[in-house]
Amino acid sequence: MATIGDVARVAGVSRSTASYALSGKRSLSEEVRLRVAAAVEELGYTPNAGARALATSQTKTLGLLAQFLDDEFAPAMMQYFLGVSNTARGLGYDVLLVNEPDGPASLRRVLTSRMVDGVVLLNVAEHDTRLPVLRSAQQPGALVGLPADCSGVDVFDLDFHETGRHMVAHLHELGHRDLLLVNQPEHVLERGGAYVWRLQSAAEEEAAQRGVTLAAAFAPSTQPDVGRALHALLDAHPQVTGLLLNNEAAASALPSVLAERGLTSPDDVSVVGRYSREFARTFSLPFSAVESAPDQLGQLAVRQLVRRIEGTAAATPHVVHLIPPSLTDRGSTAAPRLPADRPRADRPHARRPPAGAHAP
Amino acid sequence: MATIGDVARVAGVSRSTASYALSGKRSLSEEVRLRVAAAVEELGYTPNAGARALATSQTKTLGLLAQFLDDEFAPAMMQYFLGVSNTARGLGYDVLLVNEPDGPASLRRVLTSRMVDGVVLLNVAEHDTRLPVLRSAQQPGALVGLPADCSGVDVFDLDFHETGRHMVAHLHELGHRDLLLVNQPEHVLERGGAYVWRLQSAAEEEAAQRGVTLAAAFAPSTQPDVGRALHALLDAHPQVTGLLLNNEAAASALPSVLAERGLTSPDDVSVVGRYSREFARTFSLPFSAVESAPDQLGQLAVRQLVRRIEGTAAATPHVVHLIPPSLTDRGSTAAPRLPADRPRADRPHARRPPAGAHAP
DNA sequence: CTGAAAGCGCTTACAG
DNA sequence: CTGAAAGCGCTTACAG
């Protein structure tokens, strides 16, 4: 493997000159520059990353800390990976993928061994055990996901509060008065997936203000359990005309569930989800949804991280950037039918609305 | 950040002794070992990865080269990532995720800069342009996917030849005589996705030997195009009683397509797919399938790669390991109905079998 | 059983 | 405009 010494010898210059010719950090005669370039070309020289890191204290590598949890919907994770990876590459950084069950320990290792110049934490929980490790590190970190304490880190997430309000407002304005919110599994909340209650509490607030009835329920994040759960929920809430889905697995299971019940959207039920455009495309999901923007979040996190690493934003206060919800209309919401119009009792699984069901 | 010099000072020993205490490469008095361990603990010392790499020429990092192509079904990729990442961690290696449009250039960079001790190439094409780069590198490489020329690398893949034979034999033995193979999009084949024709040619061979009619067609790998394509194929091949799917997107679209046509499996049509258990679980796919074993392939590739890196297999001949197909039975295959039993003309989209259709 | 020293391949003041 | 030299933090022969 060629070293900079080889390049220098072939070009007939000193090693420092060869180095400066490569970095462009001081002006050289055109002739020397060309001779060095030719030597690099001839030898197929690439600087040794370890040596460079040792000399400069920079690795040009970012740590990407994913955690795959049991009840997480794995396919949704890929989009974050791509957003981070593509943005990093564009800015001249490589990505070290750290996917370990013990988050804090591996984060600490990667940070104190100086394998990375900074880290992106995915899937951040409300009281994420990785945060104390990150705060005591030399390198900066950017989070995707909103923890309780945002001090010392840059935070990016979808604005789940506004998302909850927006979903309710949208359906209310179409005339819906009975809504059902389908959440992630309860485990996700217990583990600190704060976005579940951020969306839910905002939705409940908005519903209360507007005089809308909103039921909320947890649902599994795996097939086929989630399908069964959706059937049970629809059985239990026959009066509901609008569905809010904060659960990717539920969104991907709903089309078959509706088909099995002989229901169509938006004729029988209006549906608003929360997932990415890419996700919708891959699984052909027909529901209007608030864009969860994984690629954008990955991009924002990496950009800010690199700004901090490179000193551009070193002294800048830390940011908490919640991106506003944007609804992609796929035509799955409309004004509800009047109760009289709804022939639900004719259909498989469907039940007659209970006596107490109120009109819109 | 503490260095080994700090550790040595605190422990009251020389730097070399501290280093040996950490590596265990020579015997030390119990007392010294303990003092060093205490110093490490006290200082929170972790060796600097760059310095270590420079001194040892080992990074304890593996490169994972993915390529995301336009017409690839992204969610299937995640399982390979996890297989590689989990196995690498278990063996003491980190993973550098390299996901670049220009495969050969980035492979070369990662290799000659010595960022990694070896690489796993995913999604290997028949004449993969990354292979010449890999062959001329110092570090070993393991492939997932079978190229035309396997020299100088270790290769792991599903045995698509046996898979094709097995699918046909399975359906033939149940009594099917008219089969349809749904492939990946033609682009995948053109780009060198050899597994497409490996499966197809073996299936055709087996079909010819058994006197079975086998039609084959390309289908898109994105929704909703693939759904439309499936409808068109079923319209065009009304006599077909058995479907072979070598296309994940087709598998995930087929349940709705069958539902839309009022068909059920295996009553109206027997289906055999080729995808992973995890994939089936995530999307609740009801079809029996040959396990594509992404986690196992990732694991095999990493194990062999690490064996080569660590010299255990340095002189060993390179392997081409094709894992035999194993069918996971989900009950989607059965004996075909007799033509007279098949009330297909009553159903939406269905057509009466043409006069030439022959009985089983 | 332990230490002093060389060397891995870079970068960057320092000096001319 | 260019070069000689120190130093980044490790590991590992070499020497005792």
Side-chain angles (χ1 to χ4, degrees):
Chain A
M1 209 85 297
T3 71
I4 199 164
D6 299 325
V7 171
R9 187 160 17 78
V10 169
V13 296
S14 72
R15 286 167 42 197
S16 51
T17 298
S19 175
Y20 284 119
L22 287 169
S23 67
K25 283 192 183 165
R26 81 180 178 193
S27 49
L28 301 178
S29 70
E30 188 60 16
E31 193 220 330
V32 165
R33 187 189 310 283
L34 256 39
R35 285 215 311 270
V36 172
V40 165
E41 180 67 22
E42 179 186 336
L43 297 167
Y45 170 75
T46 308
N48 179 299
R52 176 173 274 180
L54 187 54
T56 62
S57 302
Q58 280 205 112
T59 61
K60 286 286 182 177
T61 300
L62 266 28
L64 175 56
L65 274 97
Q67 33 188 4
F68 286 86
L69 302 158
D70 273 353
D71 41 11
E72 213 81 39
F73 193 63
M77 193 71 105
M78 188 54 104
Q79 299 306 314
Y80 291 95
F81 279 26
L82 293 181
V84 167
S85 167
N86 292 338
T87 309
R89 162 167 29 99
L91 297 172
Y93 285 77
D94 282 299
V95 171
L96 192 76
L97 177 60
V98 184
N99 149 37
E100 310 207 8
D102 185 350
S106 45
L107 177 57
R108 183 182 176 288
R109 181 178 62 78
V110 152
L111 248 14
T112 66
S113 71
R114 313 224 74 132
M115 296 185 81
V116 299
D117 296 337
V119 293
V120 174
L121 266 50
L122 254 35
N123 231 331
V124 173
E126 188 167 17
H127 299 282
D128 202 296
T129 53
R130 298 171 297 181
L131 290 181
V133 174
L134 180 53
R135 290 206 182 85
S136 69
Q138 309 284 314
Q139 298 102 318
L143 317 186
V144 177
L146 178 63
D149 175 5
C150 292
S151 64
V153 292
D154 293 303
V155 176
F156 301 86
D157 203 356
L158 176 63
D159 189 334
F160 280 90
H161 185 88
E162 281 305 314
T163 299
R165 295 188 46 189
H166 190 77
M167 286 171 146
V168 169
H170 175 74
L171 290 173
H172 174 253
E173 279 158 18
L174 287 169
H176 294 266
R177 298 293 177 270
D178 263 296
L179 305 179
L180 172 63
L181 166 61
V182 179
N183 279 319
Q184 301 275 66
E186 193 162 10
H187 286 136
V188 170
L189 219 177
E190 285 166 0
R191 205 173 49 222
Y195 65 94
V196 175
W197 65 250
R198 274 194 281 146
L199 189 147
Q200 177 171 334
S201 63
E204 282 169 343
E205 231 170 71
E206 187 73 20
Q209 273 179 28
R210 290 173 178 262
V212 168
T213 303
L214 176 79
F218 300 109
S221 60
T222 56
Q223 316 280 3
D225 304 359
V226 62
R228 280 196 288 272
L230 287 171
H231 273 300
L233 285 170
L234 293 174
D235 285 344
H237 299 276
Q239 78 287 9
V240 159
T241 61
L243 246 38
L244 286 58
L245 306 178
N246 190 21
N247 177 327
E248 280 98 341
S252 67
L254 189 58
S256 348
V257 169
L258 292 181
E260 284 158 23
R261 301 176 78 88
L263 300 179
T264 61
S265 159
D267 292 346
D268 302 303
V269 60
S270 286
V271 182
V272 188
R274 193 268 316 146
Y275 44 75
S276 73
R277 201 174 299 267
E278 181 63 21
F279 189 80
R281 195 183 70 89
T282 303
F283 302 112
S284 207
L285 296 187
F287 310 120
S288 301
V290 171
E291 173 63 42
S292 60
D295 40 0
Q296 192 190 345
L297 285 168
Q299 182 175 115
L300 287 169
V302 170
R303 282 194 193 289
Q304 175 71 3
L305 183 59
V306 168
R307 248 180 260 131
R308 262 190 213 290
I309 289 170
E310 300 186 345
T312 328
T316 300
H318 288 275
V319 312
V320 176
H321 184 153
L322 301 180
I323 68 177
S326 127
L327 189 73
T328 303
D329 188 352
R330 298 190 179 87
S332 65
T333 61
R337 291 192 183 177
L338 295 176
D341 296 343
R342 299 164 72 205
R344 302 184 69 162
D346 301 344
R347 299 194 171 142
H349 294 91
R351 295 185 191 160
R352 195 174 303 273
H358 50 85
Chain B
M1 211 85 299
T3 72
I4 199 164
D6 299 326
V7 171
R9 188 161 12 79
V10 169
V13 296
S14 72
R15 287 168 40 199
S16 50
T17 297
S19 175
Y20 284 119
L22 286 169
S23 68
K25 284 192 183 165
R26 82 181 175 193
S27 49
L28 301 178
S29 70
E30 189 59 17
E31 192 221 331
V32 165
R33 189 190 310 283
L34 258 36
R35 285 217 311 272
V36 172
V40 165
E41 181 67 23
E42 179 187 336
L43 296 168
Y45 170 75
T46 308
N48 178 299
R52 176 172 273 182
L54 187 55
T56 62
S57 302
Q58 280 206 109
T59 61
K60 286 287 184 177
T61 300
L62 266 27
L64 174 56
L65 274 99
Q67 34 187 3
F68 286 88
L69 302 158
D70 273 353
D71 40 14
E72 213 81 39
F73 194 62
M77 193 72 104
M78 187 55 102
Q79 300 306 315
Y80 291 96
F81 278 27
L82 293 182
V84 167
S85 164
N86 292 337
T87 309
R89 160 165 34 95
L91 296 171
Y93 285 78
D94 283 299
V95 171
L96 192 76
L97 176 62
V98 184
N99 149 37
E100 311 207 9
D102 185 351
S106 45
L107 177 58
R108 183 181 178 289
R109 180 176 63 77
V110 153
L111 248 13
T112 66
S113 71
R114 313 225 73 133
M115 297 184 82
V116 299
D117 295 336
V119 293
V120 174
L121 266 51
L122 254 35
N123 229 333
V124 173
E126 189 167 16
H127 299 283
D128 202 295
T129 52
R130 298 171 296 181
L131 290 181
V133 173
L134 179 53
R135 290 205 183 88
S136 68
Q138 309 285 314
Q139 298 101 319
L143 318 187
V144 176
L146 178 63
D149 175 4
C150 292
S151 64
V153 292
D154 292 304
V155 177
F156 301 86
D157 204 358
L158 177 63
D159 190 335
F160 280 90
H161 185 87
E162 281 306 314
T163 299
R165 295 188 47 187
H166 190 77
M167 286 171 146
V168 169
H170 175 76
L171 290 173
H172 174 252
E173 279 157 18
L174 287 169
H176 294 266
R177 297 296 178 266
D178 263 295
L179 306 179
L180 171 63
L181 167 61
V182 179
N183 279 319
Q184 300 275 66
E186 193 161 11
H187 287 135
V188 171
L189 219 176
E190 285 166 1
R191 206 173 46 220
Y195 65 95
V196 175
W197 65 252
R198 273 196 280 148
L199 189 148
Q200 178 172 333
S201 63
E204 282 169 343
E205 231 170 69
E206 187 73 20
Q209 272 179 28
R210 291 174 176 261
V212 168
T213 305
L214 175 78
F218 300 109
S221 61
T222 56
Q223 317 279 4
D225 303 358
V226 62
R228 279 197 287 272
L230 287 171
H231 273 301
L233 285 170
L234 292 174
D235 286 344
H237 298 276
Q239 78 286 8
V240 158
T241 62
L243 246 37
L244 286 59
L245 306 178
N246 191 19
N247 176 327
E248 280 99 340
S252 68
L254 188 59
S256 347
V257 169
L258 292 181
E260 284 158 22
R261 301 176 79 88
L263 299 177
T264 61
S265 159
D267 292 347
D268 302 303
V269 61
S270 286
V271 181
V272 189
R274 193 268 315 146
Y275 42 77
S276 73
R277 202 173 300 267
E278 180 64 21
F279 189 80
R281 196 183 69 89
T282 303
F283 303 111
S284 207
L285 296 188
F287 310 120
S288 301
V290 171
E291 173 64 42
S292 60
D295 40 0
Q296 191 190 346
L297 286 167
Q299 181 176 114
L300 288 169
V302 169
R303 283 194 192 290
Q304 175 70 3
L305 183 59
V306 168
R307 249 180 260 130
R308 260 189 214 289
I309 289 170
E310 300 186 347
T312 328
T316 300
H318 289 275
V319 312
V320 177
H321 185 153
L322 300 181
I323 68 178
S326 129
L327 189 73
T328 304
D329 189 352
R330 298 191 179 86
S332 64
T333 62
R337 292 192 183 175
L338 296 175
D341 296 344
R342 299 164 71 205
R344 302 185 67 162
D346 302 344
R347 296 190 173 147
H349 294 92
R351 297 187 189 158
R352 195 175 300 276
H358 51 85

